[in-house]
Amino acid sequence: MTRAPRMIQSIERSAAILEIIAQEGGGARLQDIAAISGIGKTTAHNILQTLTQLGYVQRRPGDMRYHLGGRVLNLSRIAGDDHVLRTRTRPALEAIAKDSGATVFLGVPSGDKVTYLDILNPRDPDMAAALMQERETLEGSAVGLVFLAFVPGLGRRVLSTRTHALDGDSLSRIEDVRIKGYSLDLETFRPGWNAVAIPWRENGEVRASICVSGPAETLPRHRLIHLGWMMMKQVEKAQVQQCWTN
């Protein structure tokens, strides 16, 4: 007779809570989670607080419910289909590509790395094709800095597993991104290339990053800052149009 495996209660309860939130349409109140799961309200609250700190659950302003966080979507993305996200962001990408005349990337977190879902106006088609097949590290790139700054739990994971890669200057850059809302890469990630990236948010959560990149001589710092503000306006415009059409 096969012996039943020993269950770790805290993990079992955490999994149950995540499943309840999903079954409730992606958001559920504490009292409902406790009632459905049979877990005491105080214990359920403590587990939810931990899941929130790790990025698997999130709260939204003015909403009493707990929602599935970016880390859950991040994990599902590794084996999932991002066609819908690519379609939703396309109008903004095309407008940004037209206004900037530079290469535009759409990046998403994949585990603790970056995956590219779309690339417009590639100066080097071979490089673009290679990027679509590979995952890049978060550290250093403009896209990666956006995720480290705005995806709950992701920066914490990188800090705990690759501390050597995040020195004082890197931490300062991450905080700068949180304050300004965009990230700059001045030949840090790819020699001779500069970039600016902004977050793409849905329901207040960062789902992707849009990046404009090109040769440093054509994209100096002052132009990158200007492009960053232009990109944010185009994203806002595209999302307003989507609200009207949905």
Side-chain angles (χ1 to χ4, degrees), residues 138-218:
L138 292 166
E139 302 91 322
S141 71
V143 170
L145 284 170
V146 166
F147 297 138
L148 290 172
F150 294 117
V151 177
L154 188 58
R156 188 175 296 105
R157 170 176 167 77
V158 173
L159 280 170
S160 64
T161 60
R162 300 202 291 271
T163 307
H164 65 282
L166 294 176
D167 55 19
D169 181 62
S170 296
L171 296 176
S172 176
R173 291 177 68 195
I174 292 171
E175 184 59 28
D176 192 54
V177 174
R178 290 195 186 103
I179 295 171
K180 295 180 178 178
Y182 61 84
S183 64
L184 299 180
D185 172 13
L186 303 176
E187 299 189 66
T188 301
F189 194 72
R190 188 170 288 115
W193 284 68
N194 286 349
V196 57
I198 65 167
W200 171 275
R201 291 183 172 87
E202 294 181 354
N203 296 318
E205 176 187 340
V206 173
R207 293 289 311 280
S209 176
I210 298 175
C211 174
V212 168
S213 181
E217 62 269 20
T218 62

Side-chain angles (χ1 to χ4, degrees), residues 112-140:
D112 55 3
K113 292 189 177 182
V114 172
T115 291
Y116 293 101
L117 300 183
D118 211 351
I119 301 177
L120 279 64
N121 291 347
R123 290 175 175 267
D124 185 341
D126 291 335
M127 182 191 73
L131 285 174
M132 294 288 283
Q133 301 297 321
E134 299 177 357
R135 294 193 301 155
E136 291 188 345
T137 59
L138 292 166
E139 302 91 322

Side-chain angles (χ1 to χ4, degrees), residues 9 15 61 98 157 196 239:
Q9 189 180 59
K98 180 179 179 182
R157 170 176 167 77
V196 57
Q239 292 181 330

Side-chain angles (χ1 to χ4, degrees), residues 40-158:
K41 192 172 180 180
T42 300
T43 301
H45 178 265
N46 291 338
I47 293 173
L48 284 163
Q49 290 295 100
T50 301
L51 291 172
T52 299
Q53 288 297 311
L54 293 173
Y56 291 102
V57 168
Q58 67 166 345
R59 302 290 297 276
R60 296 173 182 170
D63 192 337
M64 296 298 294
R65 296 174 297 169
Y66 288 87
H67 297 264
L68 294 178
R71 294 295 295 282
V72 173
L73 299 173
N74 186 1
L75 290 173
S76 66
R77 172 174 293 118
I78 296 175
D81 180 8
D82 283 294
H83 176 70
V84 174
L85 179 59
R86 189 185 297 110
T87 300
R88 285 199 296 264
T89 57
R90 231 341 158 96
L93 295 180
E94 291 175 348
I96 291 169
K98 180 179 179 182
D99 286 353
S100 67
T103 303
V104 181
F105 299 83
L106 175 67
V108 293
S110 179
D112 55 3
K113 292 189 177 182
V114 172
T115 291
Y116 293 101
L117 300 183
D118 211 351
I119 301 177
L120 279 64
N121 291 347
R123 290 175 175 267
D124 185 341
D126 291 335
M127 182 191 73
L131 285 174
M132 294 288 283
Q133 301 297 321
E134 299 177 357
R135 294 193 301 155
E136 291 188 345
T137 59
L138 292 166
E139 302 91 322
S141 71
V143 170
L145 284 170
V146 166
F147 297 138
L148 290 172
F150 294 117
V151 177
L154 188 58
R156 188 175 296 105
R157 170 176 167 77
V158 173

Side-chain angles (χ1 to χ4, degrees), residues 13-24:
R13 287 176 167 178
S14 297
I17 286 174
L18 291 174
E19 289 177 1
I20 289 168
I21 295 174
Q23 290 165 2
E24 293 295 300

